[in-house]
Amino acid sequence: DKSKLMSTILRLILSCAAIGISAWITPGVSLPELSSSGGVVTLLVVALVLALLNTFIKPIIKLLALPVTVLTLGLFVFVINALIIMLCSWFVDGFIVEGFASALVFSMILSVVSWLLNKVF
């Protein structure tokens, strides 16, 4: 159906925008320049890989880490998000995350930026 396709494309565009803005803000995280065609492709690949990791891998990790998450009153979810970001950077050439701290900050900024973009659009 056409509206479902448009909704999916809009979500992908918003995700790309959130990733690009978050990478620009976060020290230690970089993407190729978006003025090049490789930069746009890398941004799309990062968005798709993050979507796949969040859909298939993250629920398994969250289930396995449930006792630690409960003990830390939910704060361990931030660690899981950072690990997913680092895993994404391992899969995608050109998406560089220079350590756990950068991944943690990036994931927090990405959450806020994504939320703001979704509220606006």
Side-chain angles (χ1 to χ4, degrees):
D1 155 72
K2 195 173 185 176
S3 66
K4 188 172 183 177
L5 176 65
M6 291 304 291
S7 173
T8 302
I9 290 172
L10 179 62
R11 279 197 317 262
L12 180 62
I13 291 169
L14 289 176
S15 181
C16 287
I19 291 165
I21 293 167
S22 300
W24 180 68
I25 293 172
T26 309
V29 176
S30 62
L31 286 164
E33 290 297 318
L34 292 179
S35 58
S36 69
S37 62
V40 174
V41 170
T42 301
L43 189 57
L44 284 169
V45 171
V46 169
L48 292 172
V49 169
L50 270 178
L52 290 172
L53 290 173
N54 283 330
T55 301
F56 296 108
I57 304 297
K58 189 175 178 178
I60 296 168
I61 294 172
K62 284 175 79 172
L63 182 63
L64 294 173
L66 188 59
V68 178
T69 304
V70 170
L71 285 174
T72 61
L73 303 174
L75 293 177
F76 195 71
V77 171
F78 291 116
V79 173
I80 294 171
N81 289 341
L83 292 174
I84 293 292
I85 298 295
M86 292 180 75
L87 187 59
C88 181
S89 75
W90 186 73
F91 282 124
V92 181
D93 287 336
F95 178 52
I96 299 166
V97 179
E98 297 177 0
F100 180 78
S102 295
L104 185 63
V105 171
F106 177 80
S107 70
M108 290 180 191
I109 292 172
L110 181 61
S111 297
V112 172
V113 172
S114 294
W115 177 79
L116 283 171
L117 288 175
N118 284 315
K119 285 293 178 190
V120 171
F121 296 101

